[in-house]
Amino acid sequence: MSPNGSDRSSRRPMRRKLPQVLTAGLILATATGCTYKDFPRLGMPTPVTEEAPRILSLWQGSWAAALITGILVWGLILWSIIFHRRSRTKVEVPPQTRYNMPIEALYTVVPLIIVSVLFYFTARDESKLLSLSEKPAHTVNVVGYQWSWGFNYIENVDRNPATGNEIPPELDAIPNRFTEQFPKGAEGVYDAGVPGQRNPQTGNPGPTLWLPKGEKVRFILTSRDVIHSFWVVPFLMKQDVIPGHTNSFEVTPNQEGTFLGKCAELCGVDHSRMLFNVKVVSPERYQKHLEELAKKGQSGYIPSGIAQTDPARNAETNKL
């Protein structure tokens, strides 16, 4: 058999498999459960806070940059395969090119430009997302511990400014730069979860953190034991909960509902059970929930975690 006949026969199985490959790709693309409305978010859930669209925009921009770069690279690969194949040029060994300075400069400079642009937008958005207001409407101390979550609502529940002005020992782990901005008369209430706890409305596992819609909430994150990570999925943001160090961020929920949260840091044998729920309600219902906790005897606070050492406190800025 001639060499040309051998080439044609070897190509036939590949042509027969092409429809199968295309069909498999079509099934994979259409069987993911996503709709055309989900596609622009590129796998992200629907944002439910005022800050989350900034994160979504950064995510979309990163994907756009990656797609453009991928198309360029794939295009160059396909171009070289098609136009430099041996059967087209009839040349056994093509001319070898070495030390092409323009090309070497190109593939050095272009990646630096791409990384610099991504770094700029990431640093810009991170700075905005982690900035803290002078007086948030609400403050919640999120306490991570093996294997659940506790929530200290630092609020003036009884609306008496004369009570709760002393910082209790349970909150000693929180640095002064946060305690100085606690609401006046904040005697507080708490809710402490266990792994087997479930939300009574949805049946989802874990304790439930209540938040008011349309009002800014500051989370102060502390840990009693090991590193955890506080992640409310539709907030599109998570932050580590570190023993001996206090992290914080603020969000403004803008959609009522019950949303899932979880620990995003491998923290031990029952890490997968560190789940919780976030219930966003009207400000009036939120205040009523705080009063219900007080009526159940859950006034005050649970221990927030491992206190920072003096060097650690001094190393952190006193400015928000």
Side-chain angles (χ1 to χ4, degrees):
M1 183 179 291
S2 66
N4 291 336
S6 176
D7 289 344
R8 283 194 295 270
S9 62
S10 64
R11 291 172 186 167
R12 285 170 189 161
M14 295 182 62
R15 290 176 180 173
R16 292 194 193 104
K17 292 179 180 178
L18 183 60
Q20 300 174 6
V21 173
L22 293 176
T23 302
L26 181 62
I27 293 173
L28 182 63
T30 57
T32 57
C34 298
T35 67
Y36 71 94
K37 295 181 180 179
D38 299 323
F39 180 75
R41 297 197 306 274
L42 300 172
M44 283 285 196
T46 303
V48 298
T49 68
E50 293 182 3
E51 295 78 12
R54 178 180 291 272
I55 302 173
L56 180 60
S57 176
L58 181 63
W59 171 258
Q60 292 167 325
S62 300
W63 268 101
L67 184 60
I68 293 171
T69 304
I71 290 173
L72 176 62
V73 173
W74 298 331
L76 291 173
I77 292 174
L78 292 174
W79 177 81
S80 64
I81 290 173
I82 294 171
F83 291 99
H84 292 280
R85 64 188 189 277
R86 189 175 68 177
S87 61
R88 178 177 178 272
T89 61
K90 309 299 182 183
V91 176
E92 186 71 23
V93 179
Q96 304 298 298
T97 301
R98 297 183 179 88
Y99 308 114
N100 188 306
M101 289 302 296
I103 292 178
E104 292 181 11
L106 181 68
Y107 66 63
T108 301
V109 172
V110 170
L112 288 175
I113 293 174
I114 294 172
V115 171
S116 299
V117 171
L118 291 174
F119 176 82
Y120 165 76
F121 285 107
T122 302
R124 183 199 66 179
D125 290 345
E126 181 183 14
S127 176
K128 185 68 176 178
L129 291 165
L130 295 181
S131 63
L132 301 178
S133 58
E134 291 185 4
K135 278 290 183 181
H138 304 278
T139 301
V140 179
N141 172 215
V142 177
V143 184
Y145 50 85
Q146 298 170 316
W147 311 97
S148 192
W149 300 88
F151 309 113
N152 286 324
Y153 298 92
I154 304 172
E155 301 274 5
N156 183 7
V157 182
D158 62 5
R159 304 185 184 184
N160 183 356
T163 61
N165 287 316
E166 295 293 329
I167 303 301
E170 289 83 3
L171 301 184
D172 280 347
I174 300 177
N176 294 339
R177 70 180 189 278
F178 295 115
T179 59
E180 290 170 355
Q181 295 190 332
F182 285 175
K184 190 174 182 180
E187 73 283 353
V189 290
Y190 69 88
D191 193 5
V194 294
Q197 189 173 346
R198 289 188 175 271
N199 181 280
Q201 285 80 35
T202 64
N204 294 328
T208 300
L209 168 64
W210 289 57
L211 299 176
K213 177 185 175 182
E215 298 184 353
K216 189 175 290 295
V217 179
R218 175 180 296 175
F219 296 116
I220 300 176
L221 311 177
T222 56
S223 171
R224 291 185 189 173
D225 35 55
V226 299
I227 297 178
H228 303 283
S229 187
F230 180 69
W231 181 25
V232 183
V233 178
F235 285 10
L236 309 190
M237 182 172 179
K238 60 186 176 181
Q239 199 169 52
D240 283 350
V241 185
I242 304 173
H245 174 81
T246 306
N247 281 331
S248 63
F249 69 96
E250 296 177 352
V251 299
T252 305
N254 57 11
Q255 181 177 325
E256 292 189 16
T258 302
F259 310 103
L260 298 178
K262 59 182 72 178
C263 177
E265 183 79 25
L266 182 59
C267 56
V269 64
D270 279 338
H271 159 71
S272 62
R273 302 183 68 191
M274 281 199 65
L275 306 173
F276 64 97
N277 305 277
V278 174
K279 185 168 185 173
V280 180
V281 296
S282 66
E284 295 76 19
R285 182 66 185 92
Y286 173 75
Q287 180 64 32
K288 185 178 179 181
H289 174 68
L290 299 182
E291 294 170 358
E292 291 171 351
L293 291 176
K295 288 179 181 178
K296 290 193 292 185
Q298 294 174 226
S299 296
Y301 307 103
I302 61 173
S304 58
I306 299 173
Q308 288 184 328
T309 62
D310 288 337
R313 286 175 180 264
N314 295 334
E316 295 183 1
T317 176
N318 290 324
K319 296 180 180 180
L320 295 174

